[in-house]
Every structure is written in C-alpha cells, then in structure tokens.
Amino acid sequence: MKKRLFSGIQPTGEVHIGNYLGAIKNWVSLLDPYDCIFSIVDYHAITVPQDPKSMPKQILHVATVNIAAGLDPQRCTLFVQSQVCEHTELAWIFHTITPMGHLERMTQFKDKAKQHRENVNAGLFSYPILQAADIMLYKAEAVPVGEDQVQHIELSREIARKFNARYGNIFPEPQELLSTAPRIMGLDAKNKMSKSLNNYISLIESPEDIWKKLSVAVTDENRKRRSDPGDPDKCNIYHLHKHFSSPEEIDWSAHGCRTAGIGCLDCKRCLWKNIVKELTPIREKAMALFENQNYVIEVLQKGAERCQEMARQTMQEVKEAIGLQLTPQPVKTKV
Ligand code: AQP
C-alpha cells in the first residue's frame, strides 16, 4: 500500500515558476512513490474576491497548466475541491476543536488581511482549518508544499492530535514535504513570487514576454553600474539560476557578478535562455490541452468521483466517532 499524499493549488491566476519550483515539480517527482491526490482549491480562492464569471475558466486553466507541467492523470487524482462537499463538512467539525489563538498566529492570515483590508472575512481567518480538512478527508500523510504553507501543516497536525485525543484515533498526523526551492522570491525581489502580486513569470508565458519581465527584474541593488562588482547572494536572478541553469553557468554567473566581468543583462540573458528551454514543452502541451478542454473536464470529473467515495467513508467514521450517527434500534414487540 502506497502512503497517501495531498496538495492543492488555488485558481487565482496564472500558475508561476514559484508554484512550479516550490510545489508542482516536487509533486511530479512523487507521483510514483505515493498515492497522489491534487486539488484545485476553489473554496480557498473565494476567501478573497473573485469574478464569478471568470471562475470556471480559471479553474480549468489551472488544471490544464498543472497537467501540462507533469501531473499525469494516469498516475494521480486531480479534482476540484467544491465538487466534494465533505471538505466543508469536515472543516466545520474541525472549527469546533481549533482554538482562535492558533489561527491568530498564522502569518498568511496577517499578510492577506493587510493585502485585503476591505474584506477581512471569517473564511480568510479560518482558511487553515479548511486546509486541514482537505488533507485529512483523505487521511493523507504527506503534504508537499512551499515554505509559506508549513505553519498551516503544523496546525493540521495539532487539529489531528486534538481530534484523535477527543474522539479516537482516526487521522494520521500529516507531514509537510518541502522541495529544494521552498521559497521563490518575486521579480521585485521583495515579496514571495505570488499570483496576486504580479511579480511572477507564468509557466505558459511566451519567450518574448518572459524577457520583458526578466530584463527589468530587480538584481543586487548595490550594483549601480556595469563596472561595479556585485554580490550574487543578494541577487534574485542568481538564485533563479540555481534552479534553471547548469553548474558551469551558475559558477559563471557568480564569478562574473563578483568581478564585474559580466553585466546583469548578460546574466539575465543566460537565465532567460534556460527558463525558456524548461518551460517551452510545458507551454506547448498546455496550448494543445487548451484546444481539448473536454479532456480536462473529464479528468476532473473522474477525480471528483474517486474523492467523493473516499470522503463519504471518512465522514461516516467521523460522525460515528462524534456520536452524530443514529443507528437503527431493534423494534420492541408487545407480548
Ligand atoms: N513563491 C513561492 N515559492 C515556493 N512555493 C510557492 N508556492 C506558492 N508560491 C510559492 C507553493 O505553491 C503551491 C500552490 O500555491 P497556491 O496557489 O495554493 O497558494 P499561494 O501560496 O497563496 O500562491 P500564490 O501564488 O501566492 O497565490 P495568491 O497570490 O493567490 O495567494 C503551494 O504549495 C505553495 O506553498
């Protein structure tokens, strides 16, 4: 029996190289050793305002790009969160055992509350509870995520412990699996690369558009002129080289920067060439899938069917444990 793995991605915009290096590439490498379930987490996405008209397209878009990036539907289950109603049902039960103080500590909530001051809603606050339900509905033991999600997985473990202590041992404690690129910074070099911050390179961007973004991306800000030596460790472009370039090119970039032997544009051109090389097959596959969206819809339907069955079984167990299941009583006969 393979261990089960769960992870999710929000349909909130373009899938970017932060998602790819921090999560998707890792997911692809885990397809065979684990029983993998991946979800397009649309209930999470609506914790910030979304346009209802573009949501269906967004959901299909993210599913398509993930399949193109390597989530082979023959080797994993891919589904849309809102198609399995037990996610919110289990989340409610977890709400009743999660202390408010634990949620108040979540840094993602603090960041998002600042970003969306006009809409600090209860869903944004209890987002990690729904995430715990997503994972535990399938009794997943491994959760491959980027660093930004580690605090949420820790909270999932606490929720599992609390539930098991109160109602009996039902849930395994999930463990995060970090990739070798747990935190990719955005092209602004200030914030984590994010769909909502417009500081990203998307997986399906054209080579020309990638260059437009890369050519103005922030480098070591102390290097003002071409003739100034720079510090590669302070340069986000150098850090990106580590994920896309060969060891020789990474050395070339570091040495050239330190000695002012190369300029930032030379360094970016080499990175651009390597990013384009890695992303071109993904882009081409995505373009072909965009022409065949019924295939993607079919994959998501099949995925939802498998997940609905597993979720139903878990909820039955949970309700029995909590005492929410009425069992038929023997009929009393008069003598
Ligand atoms: N910059 C990043 N570096 C490494 N990993 C990242 N992930 C996201 N950004 C980075 C990981 O990608 C997976 C899917 O992320 P998500 O879309 O569900 O949520 P997110 O973390 O909120 O991603 P964004 O791009 O920042 O979306 P918005 O802007 O909508 O909030 C997760 O495993 C995440 O860790």
Side-chain angles (χ1 to χ4, degrees):
M1 283 280 280
K2 287 181 185 179
K3 277 191 185 175
R4 188 160 294 148
L5 170 157
F6 178 95
S7 203
I9 185 160
Q10 299 188 72
T12 46
E14 287 292 344
V15 182
H16 52 71
I17 59 173
N19 299 132
Y20 176 65
L21 298 170
I24 303 167
K25 224 175 157 179
N26 202 19
W27 297 350
V28 175
S29 73
L30 298 166
L31 288 181
D32 291 329
Y34 286 90
D35 172 13
C36 293
I37 302 178
F38 300 108
S39 183
I40 313 297
V41 287
D42 50 352
Y43 275 155
H44 285 284
I46 59 168
T47 54
V48 302
Q50 304 294 338
D51 172 12
K53 284 203 191 90
S54 58
M55 258 320 243
K57 255 197 198 159
Q58 252 326 110
I59 291 168
L60 270 184
H61 181 91
V62 168
T64 303
V65 175
N66 272 276
I67 295 173
L71 293 194
D72 175 359
Q74 304 298 326
R75 293 155 69 211
C76 67
T77 301
L78 183 65
F79 77 106
V80 180
Q81 182 187 31
S82 63
Q83 291 187 356
V84 183
C85 54
E86 285 85 354
H87 284 254
T88 43
E89 198 179 0
L90 184 59
W92 175 254
I93 291 169
F94 286 168
H95 270 79
T96 65
I97 56 169
T98 308
M100 296 275 285
H102 287 23
L103 294 172
E104 278 160 3
R105 286 207 300 268
M106 297 295 121
T107 52
Q108 180 171 297
F109 170 68
K110 291 181 200 163
D111 292 346
K112 294 256 161 166
K114 264 191 227 151
Q115 217 180 319
H116 302 277
R117 279 180 211 280
E118 72 301 338
N119 181 29
V120 184
N121 59 72
L124 201 57
F125 185 63
S126 64
Y127 184 114
I129 301 184
L130 180 57
Q131 200 170 348
D134 298 338
I135 299 164
M136 281 187 260
L137 204 45
Y138 307 103
K139 300 190 178 178
E141 293 175 70
V143 191
V145 285
E147 199 178 67
D148 56 325
Q149 297 300 322
V150 171
Q151 201 184 24
H152 291 175
I153 311 305
E154 278 164 8
L155 181 60
S156 292
R157 279 198 289 280
E158 280 184 52
I159 292 174
R161 274 199 289 277
K162 262 187 190 292
F163 183 97
N164 291 345
R166 192 175 295 182
Y167 298 115
N169 212 4
I170 290 191
F171 297 114
E173 289 182 25
Q175 299 296 325
E176 65 275 5
L177 296 180
L178 288 180
S179 76
T180 50
R183 186 177 173 83
I184 297 294
M185 296 303 285
L187 300 177
D188 53 9
K190 284 195 180 71
N191 301 291
K192 147 189 120 103
M193 188 172 283
S194 257
K195 300 189 204 85
S196 53
L197 291 181
N198 201 13
N199 61 358
Y200 60 80
I201 291 176
S202 112
L203 289 194
I204 56 165
E205 229 149 346
S206 70
E208 297 73 30
D209 287 343
I210 296 176
W211 178 247
K212 266 188 214 153
K213 288 185 173 180
L214 260 190
S215 59
V216 292
V218 175
T219 54
D220 171 9
E221 288 188 299
N222 292 326
R223 191 175 182 198
K224 308 270 186 236
R225 288 175 300 263
R226 167 79 170 72
S227 52
D228 291 343
D231 181 350
D233 292 324
K234 290 190 183 147
C235 177
N236 194 32
I237 296 298
Y238 173 67
H239 292 302
L240 286 173
H241 265 293
K242 290 187 205 158
H243 302 292
F244 289 101
S245 303
S246 67
E248 295 74 28
E249 285 166 325
I250 297 168
D251 284 350
W252 166 84
S253 151
H255 182 257
C257 176
R258 278 195 194 99
T259 57
I262 59 168
C264 293
L265 273 179
D266 303 322
C267 187
K268 286 174 171 178
R269 240 176 249 117
C270 173
L271 175 64
W272 173 69
K273 175 193 75 167
N274 294 331
I275 292 181
V276 168
K277 192 168 159 207
E278 180 144 354
L279 298 193
T280 296
I282 296 174
R283 182 161 173 262
E284 286 175 356
K285 185 145 190 226
M287 294 307 152
L289 287 171
F290 285 134
E291 297 299 316
N292 189 7
Q293 292 284 269
N294 281 340
Y295 165 74
V296 179
I297 291 173
E298 211 175 287
V299 165
L300 294 172
Q301 266 164 358
K302 276 199 190 130
E305 280 162 23
R306 178 177 183 230
C307 290
Q308 280 156 1
E309 182 51 31
M310 284 190 277
R312 200 183 53 73
Q313 283 176 20
T314 305
M315 282 314 296
Q316 202 168 322
E317 241 183 291
V318 166
K319 283 184 171 173
E320 263 170 34
I322 298 182
L324 302 177
Q325 210 78 312
L326 295 183
T327 46
Q329 301 293 302
V331 181
K332 283 183 189 155
T333 48
K334 283 187 185 164
V335 281

